[in-house]
């Protein structure tokens, strides 16, 4: 019972603190949320700029969301490069 009471106290304190922080910074929260809806991702510097009330500009198009190519080839590409036959994607019938 003592442990349950302590856990409850800790959770309630954390909840109250989170509520206070979000309420005090509601404008920043809305600016960041709007930017996330528009751009989907933000850097730390962009979040800091938004929190300061600054506007951010990100390039339009796929360039902003492209992922870098993997640095290692897939096992299928590696096997093909070595002249091996890649394994079939279909599993044997049971």
């Amino acid at each position: 019972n003592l442990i349950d009471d302590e856990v409850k106290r800790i959770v309630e304190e954390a909840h109250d603190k989170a509520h206070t922080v979000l309420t005090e910074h509601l404008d920043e929260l809305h600016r960041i949320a709007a930017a996330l809806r528009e751009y989907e991702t933000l850097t730390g510097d962009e979040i800091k700029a938004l929190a300061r009330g600054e506007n951010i500009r990100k390039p339009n198009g796929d360039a902003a969301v492209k992922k870098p190519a993997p640095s290692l080839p897939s096992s299928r590409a590696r096997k093909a490069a070595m002249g091996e036959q890649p394994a079939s994607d279909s599993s044997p019938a049971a």
Side-chain angles (χ1 to χ4, degrees), residues 24-85:
E24 289 176 357
H25 300 280
L26 195 57
D27 291 339
E28 294 96 328
L29 175 65
H30 286 293
R31 276 196 299 275
I32 292 167
L36 284 169
R37 282 193 303 272
E38 183 173 349
Y39 302 117
E40 295 184 11
T41 61
L42 298 172
T43 66
D45 289 337
E46 290 166 338
I47 291 171
K48 289 173 188 174
L50 289 166
R52 290 189 303 264
E54 301 170 11
N55 292 327
I56 60 168
R57 298 182 137 240
K58 289 181 78 105
N60 291 335
D62 292 339
V65 294
K66 278 189 180 175
K67 293 182 180 178
S71 59
L72 298 174
S74 68
S75 60
R76 182 179 302 265
R78 187 178 65 250
K79 286 181 180 180
M82 295 175 64
E84 296 178 27
Q85 190 70 354

Side-chain angles (χ1 to χ4, degrees), residues 5-6 20 23 40 72 75 88:
D5 291 341
E6 185 65 12
T20 299
T23 302
E40 295 184 11
L72 298 174
S75 60
S88 171

